[in-house]
Amino acid sequence: MKFKRNILITGGAGFIGSHVVRLFVNQYPEYHIINLDKLTYAGNLANLKDIENAANYTFIKADICDFNKIMDIFKQYQIDGVIHLAAESHVDRSIKDPFTFAQTNIMGTLSLLQAAKLTWESLPEKFENKRFYHISTDEVYGALKFDGTLFTEETKYQPHSPYSASKASSDHFVRAFHDTYGMPTIVTNCSNNYGPYQFPEKLIPLFINNIRRGKELPVYGKGENVRDWLYVEDHARAIDIIFHKGKIADTYNIGGFNEWKNIDLIKVIIKTVDRLLGNLEGYSLRLITYVTDRKGHDLRYAIDSNKLKKELGWEPSLQFEEGIEKTVKWYLDNQEWMENVTSGEYLKYYQEMYENK
Ligand code: NAD
Ligand code: DAU
């Protein structure tokens, strides 16, 4: 079957990637969606069960750092668009193991850029109708004070953690490929996402699961750090709009205008889980445990996404109360998913399935 476009989505078995893959597979039957993922601990094909047999979907287990393989995939599938999400994404892991973050986030991105460049330059039409869209984070901007300021697209890069330093470096490489070779690139920097299928090392799914099991809730420091939360499907919708209508070489910030101090957010999660489990209000507050702060813990992130609203008409569609209710319900209703993830069962299952492919 001949498709109108062949789009490579990297990291599609992860949290945000799986929502992006699902949206594109369902919304664009005329596109071939090629999901390339290494299936690290964070990649779980159970996140895509509902679309795995779709006629316009192909999964490839591969490492973005494997340049030769990436070159083959570009040629074989005649890739004309890339939405690059594959990355090591957890700040705490980057503090313990910065090398893996530099390898995947920097060298992996470079390998994709170089494969796209070499493949597209060898075609008669070259970069025409091509697009390399890199998904990045607001953490590259560093940290804000409690002064009401927001990160804009002009805020200077000042990453603090090994994770954000590696993402900042990959953003610079993407822009360098535009400025040096004329590659049609776009970068977006998004705030904290939440919603279904997030790996339970991240605050929201970890705490929902711990409350359900009556386990301690480890609050870093005094719980005063602030994050700006966006429902993951709203991010996926922004990615769709920007992939199709975003200006080449441009940058867009994506955020929810939804700042929460960690401890206040944690109390909302406790209240919601207790209500849905039929516990007395406040029952799980006893699980809050203040622990040693994260090293170099950024105080506050907050995104100004007005440019995206003004230029491309995107706004978050979900109120936070609605989003958190949906999210808590999803984790409570999908205990099999959670148990497969926390036991490591999913790794054995999918990694064995793809071992010799
Ligand atoms: P995630 O950790 O849930 O998923 C990452 C995916 O990338 C996994 O499926 C993993 O298997 C895959 N992967 C890792 N290394 C790979 C490699 N070498 N080759 C191929 N695949 C590999 O991450 P996420 O939270 O979904 O984040 C996705 C992207 O969005 C990342 O680039 C992240 O920096 C960015 N981002 C995340 C957030 C957030 O709140 N989660 C916010 C802004 C930006
Ligand atoms: O801002 C975007 C970033 O958001 C993404 O680029 C990252 O990939 C993503 O992981 C996320 O980073 P954070 O470090 O903000 O997310 P995390 O869920 O790890 O932590 C949210 C806040 O909660 C942070 O201030 C640390 C705190 N925290 C986290 C955990 C896991 C705790 O207090 N206790 C915990 O156990």
Side-chain angles (χ1 to χ4, degrees):
M1 179 169 170
K2 180 109 177 76
F3 289 100
K4 196 168 152 202
R5 298 199 70 166
N6 300 308
I7 298 171
L8 181 70
I9 300 184
T10 70
F15 166 49
I16 303 172
S18 62
H19 289 274
V20 176
V21 166
R22 177 174 299 101
L23 185 154
F24 272 74
V25 165
N26 288 333
Q27 197 146 301
Y28 301 105
E30 69 276 26
Y31 293 176
H32 187 188
I33 303 304
I34 297 108
N35 171 14
L36 184 155
D37 198 295
K38 184 180 174 182
L39 299 184
T40 66
Y41 79 95
N44 182 359
L45 287 173
N47 298 355
L48 289 167
K49 271 243 152 294
D50 52 326
I51 56 102
E52 67 185 3
N53 295 319
N56 63 337
Y57 173 69
T58 300
F59 173 71
I60 301 172
K61 182 178 185 309
D63 185 339
I64 53 168
C65 301
D66 184 347
F67 174 72
N68 292 330
K69 178 114 188 225
I70 301 294
M71 279 297 286
D72 290 345
I73 290 166
F74 265 83
K75 287 209 182 86
Q76 183 183 347
Y77 292 95
Q78 298 177 7
I79 301 298
D80 52 44
V82 177
I83 304 177
H84 174 37
L85 296 112
E88 287 293 336
S89 68
H90 193 44
V91 175
D92 293 327
R93 286 182 191 253
S94 82
I95 294 168
K96 293 198 187 98
D97 172 22
F99 280 108
T100 307
F101 281 69
Q103 178 64 16
T104 293
N105 298 358
I106 305 173
M107 294 309 289
T109 301
L110 184 52
S111 145
L112 279 170
L113 283 164
Q114 184 72 349
K117 171 186 169 289
L118 293 180
T119 311
W120 293 342
E121 272 183 348
S122 72
L123 301 172
E125 76 277 14
K126 302 202 185 298
F127 293 142
E128 212 182 297
N129 299 323
K130 308 291 188 296
R131 184 150 293 203
F132 190 108
Y133 176 6
H134 175 62
I135 308 300
S136 191
T137 170
D138 59 359
E139 299 201 13
V140 297
Y141 297 125
L144 296 164
K145 301 196 182 86
F146 292 127
D147 58 2
T149 51
L150 303 173
F151 294 135
T152 73
E153 288 80 1
E154 272 70 52
T155 303
K156 93 171 184 279
Y157 274 33
Q158 213 169 359
H160 297 134
S161 72
Y163 163 68
S164 52
S166 68
K167 290 296 290 187
S169 174
S170 63
D171 295 8
H172 291 319
F173 267 109
V174 173
R175 295 193 179 104
F177 267 63
H178 170 268
D179 297 349
T180 309
Y181 310 111
M183 278 253 296
T185 61
I186 294 186
V187 177
T188 55
N189 299 86
C190 188
S191 64
N192 285 61
N193 286 215
Y194 71 99
Y197 301 113
Q198 187 167 32
F199 195 82
E201 61 188 347
K202 307 282 169 31
L203 181 77
I204 291 184
L206 175 73
F207 277 36
I208 295 171
N209 194 39
N210 282 9
I211 298 167
R212 189 178 68 78
R213 295 173 169 202
K215 284 174 66 179
E216 284 183 354
L217 306 174
V219 180
Y220 297 165
K222 295 184 178 147
E224 279 175 355
N225 302 64
V226 169
R227 296 291 181 267
D228 175 1
W229 294 93
L230 178 68
Y231 193 68
V232 62
E233 287 179 2
D234 274 331
H235 188 189
R237 211 167 37 79
I239 290 173
D240 176 19
I241 294 169
I242 293 162
F243 179 76
H244 287 98
K245 300 195 187 129
K247 222 165 80 209
I248 296 297
D250 220 339
T251 292
Y252 300 89
N253 280 354
I254 310 172
F257 288 110
N258 181 38
E259 289 181 54
W260 284 85
K261 204 182 260 195
N262 288 342
I263 193 64
D264 295 336
L265 171 68
I266 289 161
K267 287 181 181 161
V268 171
I269 296 170
I270 291 175
K271 197 170 172 183
T272 313
V273 179
D274 275 342
R275 176 169 47 76
L276 291 171
L277 288 179
N279 294 334
L280 283 177
E281 188 169 337
Y283 174 69
S284 299
L285 285 170
R286 71 204 154 86
L287 300 174
I288 290 178
T289 309
Y290 291 92
V291 299
T292 310
D293 208 355
R294 175 184 276 173
K295 286 191 174 73
H297 197 173
D298 284 337
L299 187 63
R300 173 174 165 256
Y301 304 142
I303 278 277
D304 179 349
S305 53
N306 272 316
K307 173 176 168 181
L308 181 55
K309 181 177 175 189
K310 237 187 281 156
E311 292 187 10
L312 302 179
W314 175 91
E315 279 187 281
S317 69
L318 223 62
Q319 291 297 314
F320 187 62
E321 293 65 29
E322 207 185 324
I324 208 75
E325 179 86 11
K326 266 176 92 158
T327 303
V328 172
K329 270 202 181 119
W330 189 88
Y331 285 101
L332 296 181
D333 289 348
N334 286 274
Q335 285 176 27
E336 197 185 330
W337 180 91
M338 183 58 91
E339 266 143 35
N340 278 333
V341 171
T342 46
S343 68
E345 243 346 275
Y346 74 109
L347 274 180
K348 267 193 267 162
Y349 182 74
Y350 288 110
Q351 285 182 349
E352 273 165 26
M353 184 188 287
Y354 285 95
E355 209 147 68
N356 300 314
K357 288 200 177 175

